[in-house]
Amino acid sequence: MHPQGIDSPTFTPGPVDGTLTIPQLIELQLEQSPDHPAFIYDDPNGDIVSVTFTQYIRTVHAAARRFLRDNAPKGIDGKPTVVGLLVNTDSLSFFSMCAGLMRAGMLPFNISPQNSASSLAHLLKETNTAAIYVTSDLRPLVSEALGIHGGSLPVFDSFTFESMQGELDAVATESLPPTPDVLDSTAVIIHSSGSTSTLSQPIYLTHRLLLQYAISPIYGHEDRCGQVFGAHTLPIFHATGVFLLSLPFTVGITIAVPRRTVPHTHPTAEDATKAMLATKPDLVLATPAFIERWSEDPTAIQVLRSLKGLQYGGASLSKHVGDALFAQGVALCCGYGSMETGIISPFFESHGKDWEYISIREGIDVVALPEDDEPGLYTHAYLVGPQFETTLTNVEIDGRRGYVISDLLERHPENPLLHRVRGRKDDLIPFSSGFKMNPVPVEAQINRNPFVENCVVFGNLMSNPGIIVQLRPEFLPDLVDDEKKAKILESIW
């Protein structure tokens, strides 16, 4: 473990041992680190706007008072009121609303705008949501969901960080309830992604889990206080959002967020490159899709080379892209975890040319569970302990509860402490012969073909595997030319 913020002139570390919850730590930092920058962004003129702890926390207070005026502080059976946030807005506004609900003693329910009406109706029922805040573009979705829901609940217009600035002084005299102080009570509700056959399910994060997310830099190799964390491309509606809004107040990292646009638009890879040029982050976390686009842009590569760390997560990064970035001097690394477990790997830990491998952070006890049908592959059971908690458990080993992520792992050929993901246990295809196949490496290889947009390997209970290949749109006309079609097929084979 590495202490954070020891020598900072503007940040004084608070206790992160479970003595205080995140809302309590935020209140403490208003007193002891008022001038430390929590968030930064570049404005249209190219100037950097810095939001200090004081400005942000006072805005959170204003948001809390707005929520208290709109809603009863206690919900069903005296439990905290669940308030949904279904907002297509900028990061700073979203963070202020989510933290404001916690400060008001309510439960924020962070809802992805990508939900269908039926999934949204299901989630509102499952969580007993008492009210919902929406942006205007999502009101039709809410109306349709409430029609399915069969009930009624108040629907409020969401607000922005900028709009709350005029209320800072006007409402400062209104009292706020005590900050939540029970570590194992629910802090925030998020939800699973769902699928075409399974509705999204709510996931309840306690204050203990939220703190566990927010102190992840402690499980690293250097003091990250004062460094800038580039979050220009990250989704904010699930676990990532609550991680980012908490991180400044536990370890003093400053979050670089996208500038506000009206109407709100999600940054492209090009937008993110311009923002990184302006805000000069030390660390960047992004999905493989963005990193692969950046790898084709010389300007973006120069930005990536200047970073102390570039971390990807959520999916596999193309090996030829990762190898090429490492060869060009990019400090690339893999981040690993899940909504159920939080962050498993040490914070921005690079393994050089072995960038696709991860280790397990200090404080987590792990049991490897070998796959009988896949020699050399295994899953990990992560066991609950004094320094590690999970949202739920699905295994018990020697009397200890834990959670098994369905990722199939493979050990490094030389370093037994390193592992890489080789697919999913639930992705294995069983054939009629009894043989099982992991399709992920095959799909990844074919997806690298310049003709291919995407592909799917299939063959459940068949004698042999098959594959469906979707070509890139520009090559579809070539299928009517026998010679060009043969060239494409030969390339794929």
Side-chain angles (χ1 to χ4, degrees), residues 4 29 66 70 79 92 129 162 185 189 244 286 343 356 383 386 390 393 407 420 454 456 470 480 490:
Q4 306 287 302
Q29 292 299 0
R66 170 81 69 88
D70 290 344
K79 296 178 181 179
L92 197 50
T129 297
E162 286 81 1
S185 64
I189 306 173
L244 292 174
I343 301 167
E356 59 189 321
L383 304 181
T390 60
T393 58
D407 290 330
R420 66 174 172 179
N454 211 339
V456 175
Q470 177 185 0
V480 300
E490 182 182 357

Side-chain angles (χ1 to χ4, degrees), residues 15 21 24 44 70 114 127 134-135 146 154 179-180 203 215 232 236 253 317 323 331 334 352 396 405 448 465 484:
T21 63
Q24 290 176 314
D70 290 344
Q114 297 177 348
T127 57
V134 302
T135 45
L146 291 180
T179 49
I203 296 174
I215 64 172
H232 299 99
I236 56 176
I253 285 176
L317 178 67
D323 287 344
C334 177
E396 184 172 317
I405 299 178
R448 297 184 192 118
K484 292 180 179 178

Side-chain angles (χ1 to χ4, degrees), residues 30-87:
L30 177 60
E31 299 177 8
Q32 63 184 27
S33 309
D35 299 323
H36 193 74
F39 304 97
I40 62 171
Y41 61 91
D42 61 313
D43 68 14
N45 298 320
D47 297 324
I48 301 301
V49 179
S50 178
V51 179
T52 64
F53 279 11
T54 295
Q55 184 183 5
Y56 174 73
I57 298 170
R58 290 185 67 209
T59 305
V60 168
H61 289 174
R65 294 184 175 99
R66 170 81 69 88
F67 289 127
L68 286 167
R69 291 196 297 271
D70 290 344
N71 303 280
K74 293 293 181 180
I76 298 174
D77 298 328
K79 296 178 181 179
T81 303
V82 177
V83 178
L85 294 178
L86 180 64
V87 290

Side-chain angles (χ1 to χ4, degrees), residues 28 71 81 121 173 214 243 297 357 360 372 407 413 426 476 479:
L28 175 66
N71 303 280
T81 303
T173 57
F243 165 65
D297 179 358
Y357 286 86
I360 308 303
D372 294 336
D407 290 330
D426 45 19
L476 291 177
L479 295 180

Side-chain angles (χ1 to χ4, degrees), residues 155-173:
V155 180
F156 298 98
D157 290 327
S158 68
F159 43 89
T160 66
F161 181 83
E162 286 81 1
S163 70
M164 293 305 296
Q165 300 310 300
E167 299 188 25
L168 299 188
D169 296 325
V171 299
T173 57

Side-chain angles (χ1 to χ4, degrees), residues 355-430:
W355 53 268
E356 59 189 321
Y357 286 86
I358 58 105
S359 62
I360 308 303
R361 77 155 173 84
E362 181 184 346
I364 303 179
D365 294 328
V366 178
V367 176
L369 307 173
E371 282 295 304
D372 294 336
D373 298 325
E374 289 284 319
L377 298 186
Y378 49 92
T379 56
H380 268 169
Y382 302 98
L383 304 181
V384 173
Q387 298 181 51
F388 181 69
E389 187 61 78
T390 60
T391 60
L392 54 90
T393 58
N394 60 7
V395 70
E396 184 172 317
I397 298 175
D398 295 333
R400 293 184 62 182
R401 296 177 297 111
Y403 188 83
V404 178
I405 299 178
S406 293
D407 290 330
L408 289 171
L409 303 174
E410 180 181 56
R411 202 176 305 278
H412 189 281
E414 298 174 356
N415 186 342
L417 298 179
L418 298 184
H419 320 264
R420 66 174 172 179
V421 177
R422 295 295 292 170
R424 296 272 300 177
K425 183 181 177 71
D426 45 19
D427 283 337
L428 292 178
I429 299 173

Side-chain angles (χ1 to χ4, degrees), residues 120-335:
L120 176 58
H122 167 75
L123 288 169
L124 295 176
K125 278 187 176 181
E126 283 289 303
T127 57
N128 290 314
T129 297
I132 187 169
Y133 286 75
V134 302
T135 45
S136 58
D137 58 316
L138 295 171
R139 274 189 173 267
L141 174 63
V142 173
S143 297
E144 185 180 353
L146 291 180
I148 300 170
H149 182 283
S152 63
L153 70 158
V155 180
F156 298 98
D157 290 327
S158 68
F159 43 89
T160 66
F161 181 83
E162 286 81 1
S163 70
M164 293 305 296
Q165 300 310 300
E167 299 188 25
L168 299 188
D169 296 325
V171 299
T173 57
E174 298 178 22
S175 61
L176 289 170
T179 49
D181 59 359
V182 180
L183 207 61
D184 289 311
S185 64
T186 302
V188 62
I189 306 173
I190 57 178
H191 64 80
S192 63
S193 58
S195 67
T196 56
S197 60
T198 306
L199 294 172
S200 298
Q201 297 299 322
I203 296 174
Y204 296 82
L205 299 182
T206 63
H207 287 283
R208 185 185 301 276
L209 282 162
L210 191 56
L211 180 63
Q212 182 174 294
Y213 288 171
I215 64 172
S216 58
I218 291 175
Y219 301 101
H221 303 293
E222 62 178 280
D223 187 347
R224 300 292 186 176
C225 180
Q227 293 187 3
V228 175
F229 185 114
H232 299 99
T233 67
L234 297 176
I236 56 176
F237 306 103
H238 296 314
T240 306
V242 292
F243 165 65
L244 292 174
L245 74 84
S246 307
L247 201 55
F249 306 99
T250 54
V251 296
I253 285 176
T254 299
I255 308 296
V257 297
R259 73 171 71 137
R260 175 170 165 75
T261 57
V262 181
H264 176 68
T265 57
H266 298 283
T268 65
E270 293 75 19
D271 294 333
T273 298
K274 293 176 183 177
M276 290 190 296
L277 281 168
T279 56
K280 297 179 172 56
D282 301 286
L283 309 167
V284 167
L285 174 62
T287 62
F290 275 96
I291 294 175
E292 288 173 6
R293 292 190 190 103
W294 288 333
S295 71
E296 300 171 351
D297 179 358
T299 301
I301 289 175
Q302 289 303 312
V303 175
L304 301 182
R305 290 179 63 187
S306 70
L307 302 175
K308 294 180 181 294
L310 171 64
Q311 183 170 284
Y312 70 94
S316 296
L317 178 67
S318 169
K319 182 163 176 56
H320 81 271
V321 169
D323 287 344
L325 290 174
F326 169 74
Q328 294 176 84
V330 177
L332 181 64
C333 61
C334 177

